[in-house]
Every structure is written in structure tokens, then in C-alpha cells.
Amino acid sequence: MLYIFSSDSPSIQLSEMINAFCHSYSDFKFVALDNLPSLKQHDKVLFAWEADICGVDTSILKLIHKAYLSSPKFFSGCKGSILCFSKTIFYTKYFSSHIAFLTNNMGLEFIGKPMVEAIESYNNFKNKQRLNNISLKQLCLEECMNLGKRLKNDKHELNQNPKITAVHASHIDRSNTYALMKLILDNLSIEKSIFSLAEERIMDCRGCDFEQCMNFSNHGVCYYEGDKLKDIFKSLDSSQALLVACPNYNDSMPANYFAMINRMTYIYRQKDFSDKYLYAIIVSANSGFDMVAGQIISAFCFNKGFRLAPNFALMEQANEPLSILNLPHIKQSMSKYAKDLEKKLKEN
């Protein structure tokens, strides 16, 4: 069953996007605030929202809030995707990542490439129009239709011997983030490859034009070919998941992660990451967990197409070096996270 969490009064544009998404479904329901469904294992969920003048959709927030009051794990066992429309060039990624963060913490898994966004002019489809001789609006509706099909038919093959690629950007002798990552990896019986972005200089994207980037991509290389990113991408190619160990640096990811994401573009042009799960460890001395998690969701899931595993992020607060190891609950939290991660990879 497909359940649609949508605006109270969707615009014509959003209604058309929803209709295109539902093209392959014979059975779907719009969720009402006064009649929340009891979701079952393998049910599908669509969030279809549009930005008001503040960049949010209050009807969606009310539905999620009511769902949380019903159960903090309301979406467990379900898979989701997002449609969004804005009359301006703003807000689509911002509020979509917030929806994903809230509902993922309630157990919802998001498929790879889970979102279609549109602005009133549909100009965000200009690049795709270069490869297709159809209107911008029709491109949008086809994207919505394809997303609906992918969510409906989403299945994974059983994998008895999964592998995970883990990446960190920390000093291993005093980092709380690294210490927590190592605890988790030590509790995994699956194959793992660990890479550090802190040991050498990682070059950011050079900004090649589209044709240059495609030429490099067709040869499986990047303009900057000599650093560790090539090894990370090679490991990722044979992995079923990516684990990002991410400290909060000024309410943001470390710079080396942005370089990794930017440089991943040449790989993304040739390889599909939608079958690979995304996990994250986020450690902050104070607050800002949601800001960092939102960046990771937007960059790795929305932009590069990774699957967002349910409860993808383990978020812990620690300040003094290695003090995270002394938190009274850390062994239990870490053990549960590692157990759930391994179970998910082996069952898919």
C-alpha cells in the first residue's frame, strides 16, 4: 500500500506531480490528520509538499508530529520518497532534508535518489532537457512517474557477505568520532575497509565543464588522480554501504568531506549508488546534530543517490578527547547500532 502525506490543498503543479507518481499504483491513500493509518511492513510512503512563504509545509509537519505522538517508530519497516514544489528557487532541498531527518529517525528508509523537486518555471530540469527533446514540465512528470515505479518495485537481493566502506577525517589518537567509529566497526563481523581523509591533502573539485567531466568519467579517472579518493571510490564500488564518521565542525561537515562529495561527481556520472546504504556517525561537543545530518542527507542521498538506511545516524555528544568512551550508555547505543546495521546489510 502507498500512503501519501500531502499538503492540505495541493497546487495544480503538485497535484500533477502526485498523479504522475501514482501512475503505476492501483491502490493508494491520502493520509488525513484525524485518521492516521497503522503502517505495515513493506508499506510505501510518499511525502508531497510545497513551500509556503516561510519555506515549509505546515500540513506535513502536523502529520509527522501526529505520527510521532502515535509512535516514535511510526515508519519502521516502510520505505519512502519525496515530491516537492516551490514557486521560487528556494527551500526544496532544505525542507526535504528536514522531512527525511525527522521520519528517518522514526524508522523510515528512503530509497536511492528518493526525491523529485520542481520550481514554478521547471528550470531546474534545464540540464536534463539537453539530453531529451521534450518540455521541462514533461521531464518533471516523467521523473515523478519513474520515482513512483522505483519505490513500488524496490527490492534488494540477499547478501550473505556484505562489505562496508568507512571514511573518517579525524586524528585517531584523540578523536571522539574516530573512537566511536572504531567501536562500531569492531562489533561488525562483515568485511570493512577504513579510509582516512585526514592523512593527506584531498583536492577539491577543479570545476571542469560538463564535457570535460564526462570525458574523465568515461575513462574512470578524475583531473586530480593521485590522492586517496580514488581508493575510496574503488572500495565503495564493491561495497554495500558507506559509513561516514563525521564530527561537527562549526555546525558543518569537515572540509575534506565536501571535497569527497564534489569529486564523487565523475564516478556518479557512470555508476549508480542507489543500491548502497548510507550510515553516519555524528559527534558534537554541543548542538547542531540535525544541521550536519541534513547536509549528509542532502549531499549523499539526494544528490549522489545513496539509500538512506532507517535510523541512519548515530548521534552522540562528547567534548573532551576520548570522553565518549566513558558515557554510561555508549556501549548499549553502539551495540544496537552495529547490530541493526549488520542485519540490514545481510537481509538486503
Side-chain angles (χ1 to χ4, degrees):
M1 173 67 75
L2 170 67
Y3 291 96
I4 303 173
F5 290 68
S6 183
S7 303
D8 290 332
S9 301
S11 63
I12 293 175
Q13 294 93 331
L14 183 61
S15 296
E16 289 175 337
M17 293 171 70
I18 294 172
N19 289 337
F21 181 96
C22 295
H23 180 76
S24 59
Y25 290 85
S26 59
D27 198 9
F28 59 87
K29 292 182 179 179
F30 284 85
V31 176
L33 189 62
D34 58 355
N35 188 25
L36 287 181
S38 297
L39 300 183
K40 300 180 178 62
Q41 192 84 0
H42 306 304
D43 278 341
K44 306 300 170 63
V45 177
L46 170 66
F47 296 97
W49 72 275
E50 51 194 310
D52 63 15
I53 59 173
C54 296
V56 301
D57 189 324
T58 54
S59 58
I60 293 290
L61 288 176
K62 289 177 182 177
L63 287 168
I64 294 174
H65 182 252
K66 185 75 175 290
Y68 183 85
L69 294 179
S70 172
S71 170
K73 297 299 180 186
F74 183 86
F75 295 103
S76 291
C78 301
K79 296 178 181 179
S81 57
I82 298 173
L83 299 180
C84 55
F85 174 78
S86 176
K87 291 184 177 180
T88 73
I89 60 174
F90 305 116
Y91 309 126
T92 51
K93 290 281 191 358
Y94 156 73
F95 191 64
S96 291
S97 64
H98 187 55
I99 290 172
F101 176 75
L102 291 174
T103 58
N104 180 261
N105 284 334
M106 296 166 66
L108 185 61
E109 174 181 331
F110 283 87
I111 64 171
K113 304 175 186 175
M115 181 179 68
V116 175
E117 57 180 323
I119 60 177
E120 193 165 34
S121 65
Y122 299 103
N123 278 343
N124 57 304
F125 292 92
K126 278 280 190 180
N127 284 337
K128 293 183 180 179
Q129 193 183 45
R130 296 165 62 182
L131 305 174
N132 299 271
N133 190 27
I134 58 177
S135 71
L136 295 174
K137 179 180 177 179
Q138 189 59 38
L139 274 172
C140 172
L141 297 180
E142 286 192 4
E143 290 275 312
C144 295
M145 188 182 301
N146 290 335
L147 179 58
K149 289 178 181 178
R150 289 197 296 109
L151 180 63
K152 180 182 180 181
N153 300 322
D154 185 73
K155 291 181 181 179
H156 269 232
E157 298 294 330
L158 185 68
N159 195 319
Q160 296 290 349
N161 299 295
K163 173 187 172 183
I164 187 168
T165 295
V167 181
H168 72 92
S170 304
H171 297 286
I172 64 175
D173 57 342
R174 55 188 174 88
S175 166
N176 285 302
T177 309
Y178 178 83
L180 182 55
M181 181 193 76
K182 188 174 186 305
L183 276 177
I184 291 170
L185 293 178
D186 287 347
N187 275 266
L188 296 177
S189 62
I190 63 177
E191 182 183 352
K192 50 246 180 185
S193 296
I194 307 171
F195 297 91
S196 171
L197 296 177
E199 295 176 354
E200 60 180 79
R201 185 182 183 190
I202 303 296
M203 298 299 296
D204 201 348
C205 179
R206 177 175 175 260
C208 298
D209 61 35
F210 179 81
E211 287 74 17
Q212 287 177 315
C213 187
M214 281 300 298
N215 185 51
F216 282 121
S217 179
N218 290 333
H219 290 85
V221 297
C222 176
Y223 178 85
Y224 296 114
E225 185 62 12
D227 59 23
K228 184 165 290 187
L229 288 182
K230 183 177 181 180
D231 296 330
I232 295 175
F233 297 155
K234 182 178 180 181
S235 174
L236 189 57
D237 191 40
S238 60
S239 297
Q240 283 68 52
L242 171 66
L243 173 63
V244 177
C246 192
N248 179 353
Y249 283 3
N250 302 302
D251 294 327
S252 180
M253 291 187 291
N256 281 349
Y257 279 124
F258 287 107
M260 175 182 169
I261 293 161
N262 293 338
R263 291 269 303 282
M264 195 177 286
T265 300
Y266 87 93
I267 297 290
Y268 176 72
R269 295 193 190 282
Q270 294 292 331
K271 297 184 183 297
D272 187 358
F273 294 131
S274 62
D275 62 340
K276 302 181 188 301
Y277 278 99
L278 174 65
Y279 290 90
I281 298 165
I282 303 172
V283 179
S284 178
N286 296 295
S287 58
F289 298 95
D290 52 328
M291 295 182 68
V292 177
Q295 290 175 347
I296 295 173
I297 291 170
S298 184
F300 285 101
C301 179
F302 293 169
N303 190 277
K304 293 298 182 279
F306 285 82
R307 304 175 67 87
L308 197 65
N311 303 103
F312 91 106
L314 178 60
M315 296 170 280
E316 295 289 347
Q317 188 176 43
N319 200 325
E320 297 300 320
L322 303 182
S323 61
I324 199 166
L325 300 176
N326 300 320
L327 296 178
H329 66 276
I330 199 64
K331 287 186 178 179
Q332 181 178 359
S333 298
M334 170 277 302
S335 179
K336 182 180 186 307
Y337 187 79
K339 181 179 179 181
D340 290 345
L341 186 159
E342 185 161 340
K343 179 181 178 182
K344 171 57 68 175
L345 296 191
K346 286 186 174 180
E347 74 182 13
N348 286 282

